[in-house]
Amino acid sequence: MNTILVTGSAGFIGSNYCRYLLKNYPDCIVVGLDALTYAGNLSTMQDLQLTGRFRFYPGRIQDDCVVAGIIQSEKVEAIVNFAAESHNDRSLMDASSFIQTDVTGVAVLLEATRKFQLKRMLHVSTDEVYGSVDDGRFTEQTPIAPNTPYSASKAGGDLQARAHHIAYGTPVVVTRCGNNFGPFQYPEKLLPFFISRLIDHKKVPLYGDGSQVRDWVYVEDHCGGIDHALRHGNPGEVYNIGSDAECTNLEITHMLLSLLNRPESLIRSIEDPRGGAHDRRYSIDASKLKAMGWSPAHAFSSALESTVRWYLENEWWWREITSKPDYLSFIKNYYGRYLQSDL
Ligand code: NAD
Ligand code: TYD
């Protein structure tokens, strides 16, 4: 698999996966496709363009002619799909684009995989399709039970993949990972949102009492797991990816305060905007992929420290985003009544 189409290449994990491929496979040509929504930025792919082995196409995965044209002209052998609407809070405001991209878009990529007889498609999904678990861990056998429009749209994509494999033998593999963190994450998700605000000595809005648990994975480890599943996974199967790094939102906020040397008074506990749709705990059992030879390479605390350092050293990247009118209006609309003068 020397020519790989990476969809969502201008986003957080997709761009990191392009970096991973270009670094680890010297003969690999990486073809990026991205709609450049609010979450996709050309600046995120600047370093990829310099390698000479990365080609980028702006476009939407649900446009079948666009997808077919790229596959044929670039002689694509496999697709790794990261393209998605990915933010739970935005999905609670309006879910229509989530269904277009996360369900219809996945179906178009599956159909193209079948039609052009690609060697493999890997569909990147999330542990959130399993819903919330109070005790125990999610295995690949856990029934899917999504609780937000975002996780329901991702579950829709996963079911399209399952049915395509059963109905047509399409060689698709699905991965489900926990909450990622690392460089180039759009600053609306918990970690980059809080880090960028704390750098500026601004308050951070913690939902409810902050007791919700997330199972954190460093983005490079996620990329390694995806790549392992792409090359060694069985078509039609699902593989969980996790690093055994559970902690509450309050705990991780305290870690950020300590890494940035900021006072506890910068935490603003707010009424939970997700209400009953806020999943209490995610916990991933990744033993299936580990038994196939994959393991995470980064310890949580040192990866968190290097992530904070990356945002300190790359203000150029996130300040370009946080100064855009659409970012500012989202933050103002969603958090304005809680953060008031400290927006
Ligand atoms: P992101 O929002 O940072 O990036 C998504 C990218 O997809 C953006 O560049 C956007 O422009 C692009 N995109 C959106 N709609 C598109 C369309 N119709 N056609 C083409 N491109 C489109 O998201 P991310 O955090 O990098 O997540 C990538 C994938 O990984 C998603 O499928 C998400 O569900 C999954 N995932 C994310 C996490 C996490 O913690 N971030 C964890 C597990 C799984
Ligand atoms: P997020 O990064 O949006 O990821 P997900 O919804 O996929 O888990 O949120 C992570 C957790 O942090 C989640 O429990 C919601 C919480 N959260 C806050 O407390 N404050 C915030 O400003 C944000 C964005 C999230």
Side-chain angles (χ1 to χ4, degrees):
M1 284 185 276
N2 268 342
T3 305
I4 299 185
L5 174 60
V6 178
T7 60
S9 60
F12 166 44
I13 312 174
S15 68
N16 276 287
Y17 184 64
C18 292
R19 235 164 251 118
Y20 180 96
L21 284 176
L22 292 163
K23 183 173 150 203
N24 290 289
Y25 300 97
D27 297 329
C28 187
I29 301 292
V30 180
V31 181
L33 167 64
D34 197 293
L36 299 175
T37 67
Y38 78 94
N41 284 283
L42 291 170
S43 59
T44 303
M45 299 184 292
Q46 259 174 30
D47 60 319
L48 307 176
Q49 307 272 14
L50 299 175
T51 62
R53 289 188 287 124
F54 177 74
R55 291 195 275 275
F56 177 66
Y57 293 84
R60 305 186 313 164
I61 57 167
Q62 61 270 43
D63 289 344
D64 52 358
C65 293
V66 169
V67 172
I70 296 170
I71 290 174
Q72 287 174 298
S73 64
E74 292 286 356
K75 300 191 172 43
V76 165
E77 292 166 277
I79 299 176
V80 182
N81 177 39
F82 295 88
E85 290 293 340
S86 70
H87 192 37
N88 272 312
D89 291 295
R90 287 187 191 250
S91 79
L92 288 160
M93 295 161 85
D94 178 4
S96 49
S97 59
F98 288 74
I99 294 157
Q100 278 298 311
T101 297
D102 302 3
V103 187
T104 307
V106 175
V108 167
L109 296 177
L110 286 161
E111 199 45 37
T113 301
R114 174 167 89 113
K115 182 171 171 191
F116 295 104
Q117 299 179 344
L118 302 190
K119 289 183 181 153
R120 193 62 48 106
M121 169 171 160
L122 187 137
H123 174 57
V124 178
S125 189
T126 165
D127 63 349
E128 300 190 24
V129 299
Y130 297 121
S132 186
V133 64
D134 287 334
D135 302 301
R137 321 194 80 184
F138 300 133
T139 71
E140 291 82 357
Q141 273 71 50
T142 303
I144 55 175
N147 293 316
T148 69
Y150 161 64
S151 47
S153 71
K154 291 298 294 183
D158 290 19
L159 292 178
Q160 291 297 322
R162 177 191 145 87
H164 230 273
H165 174 72
I166 291 172
Y168 311 115
T170 307
V172 59
V173 172
V174 173
T175 55
R176 294 178 180 151
C177 187
N179 285 63
N180 279 220
F181 65 102
F184 296 106
Q185 187 169 25
Y186 190 84
E188 66 184 353
K189 304 282 167 64
L190 179 75
L191 282 190
F193 184 40
F194 280 19
I195 293 169
S196 57
R197 290 184 65 83
L198 291 173
I199 288 175
D200 284 345
H201 300 265
K202 288 180 173 169
K203 287 198 166 61
V204 293
L206 190 67
Y207 299 175
D209 60 3
S211 62
Q212 299 82 10
V213 174
R214 293 294 179 264
D215 201 348
W216 293 94
V217 180
Y218 187 53
V219 66
E220 269 183 40
D221 285 331
H222 186 190
C223 291
I226 287 168
D227 201 59
H228 202 82
L230 173 72
R231 289 161 208 278
H232 305 289
N234 292 320
E237 293 203 22
V238 174
Y239 297 91
N240 285 351
I241 300 177
S243 303
D244 302 319
E246 284 179 49
C247 70
T248 67
N249 295 336
L250 183 61
E251 283 164 346
I252 206 164
T253 304
H254 275 124
M255 290 176 211
L256 298 181
L257 291 174
S258 150
L259 286 166
L260 286 159
N261 194 22
R262 297 290 187 266
E264 207 167 318
S265 56
L266 287 181
I267 300 179
R268 165 73 51 91
S269 291
I270 66 167
E271 187 190 323
D272 193 337
R274 296 188 189 175
H278 196 170
D279 289 331
R280 283 211 62 74
R281 176 172 173 261
Y282 301 140
S283 178
I284 302 152
D285 179 343
S287 47
K288 182 176 173 185
L289 194 61
K290 285 182 182 162
M292 286 165 44
W294 171 80
S295 60
H298 298 85
F300 174 63
S301 57
S302 55
L304 188 66
E305 198 178 329
S306 73
T307 297
V308 168
R309 202 174 323 118
W310 189 88
Y311 286 88
L312 282 166
E313 289 169 357
N314 291 278
E315 291 193 11
W316 69 272
W317 180 80
W318 59 264
R319 283 200 193 281
E320 183 189 311
I321 294 169
T322 57
S323 58
K324 282 185 184 162
D326 59 349
Y327 181 84
L328 292 167
S329 77
F330 169 70
I331 300 297
K332 193 171 168 203
N333 283 341
Y334 206 69
Y335 298 107
R337 68 194 169 107
Y338 307 111
L339 298 173
Q340 289 147 5
S341 60
D342 200 23
L343 273 173

